[in-house]
Amino acid sequence: MKKVGILGGTFNPPHVGHLIAANEVLHALHLDEIRFMPNSIPPHKRLAGHIADEHRLRMAELAIEDNELFEIEKIEIERAGVSYTIDTMRELIKQEPDTSFYFIIGADMIEYLPKWREIDELSRLVTFVGVKRPGYSTETRYPVILIETPEIHLSSTALRKKAASNETLHYLLPEPVIRYIKENGLYGAE
């Protein structure tokens, strides 16, 4: 069986925290690849500072372009609308029956698992992988493999504000993403 990690998110913008977490999970669990899966509309939060799906998709592509074990999963962007993980994973399993999926979540989402749509079914379909974060509990009645990663607290909201204020984003975002943000005037960047 192929072992594939799925890291979903708005990636608005994708930052080094996403890349570090994905890389740590990839190697800790000896996965074959990690797929970055931009949401169209996540059910659990409003898209603050929302930009067009094609910009978020392109930034995710640029962020991972130098790692051959990182891929883009477009299923939620192509489906559009509100994305529920259960629907996405059912479709991916149908398309790839010989693949084991590892769904990567931050500690903030571990606490939120009981509120996920059809969580009991979903926890049978995928293996949840939790990335520990300071200040969040990892207690849950659902099976979650916990992975230690370097503690880097980055907020996409704060990064959008930095971009809007033309503050430096170096070392916080991959350089191709920084260039794309500036070239396209995203978040008010010049």
Side-chain angles (χ1 to χ4, degrees), residues 12-13 48-51 59 155-170 172-173 177-178 180-190:
N12 188 21
H50 184 61
I51 59 171
M59 285 190 293
S155 153
S156 291
T157 301
L159 293 173
R160 289 191 300 270
K161 287 179 184 173
K162 285 176 84 66
S165 300
N166 290 310
E167 294 177 40
T168 184
L169 295 168
H170 293 289
L172 302 173
L173 302 176
V177 174
I178 294 170
Y180 186 86
I181 288 170
K182 289 179 179 177
E183 288 166 5
N184 290 278
L186 303 180
Y187 315 118
E190 296 175 2

Side-chain angles (χ1 to χ4, degrees), residues 85-104:
T85 304
I86 185 69
D87 299 330
T88 300
M89 295 316 301
R90 281 179 179 144
E91 185 60 33
L92 286 175
I93 289 165
K94 189 170 145 185
Q95 291 174 14
E96 302 174 56
D98 295 329
T99 299
S100 292
F101 289 101
Y102 294 74
F103 200 86
I104 304 163

Side-chain angles (χ1 to χ4, degrees), residues 106-146:
D108 55 329
M109 287 289 107
I110 294 173
E111 293 179 353
Y112 196 76
L113 278 176
K115 297 179 177 157
W116 285 32
R117 180 178 278 196
E118 298 184 55
I119 184 59
D120 294 325
E121 172 70 12
L122 181 58
S123 67
R124 286 189 291 274
L125 294 178
V126 302
T127 300
F128 280 109
V129 180
V131 176
K132 293 182 179 182
R133 277 187 177 165
Y136 290 98
S137 170
T138 56
E139 295 294 316
T140 181
R141 66 184 185 95
Y142 298 99
V144 176
I145 298 172
L146 295 173

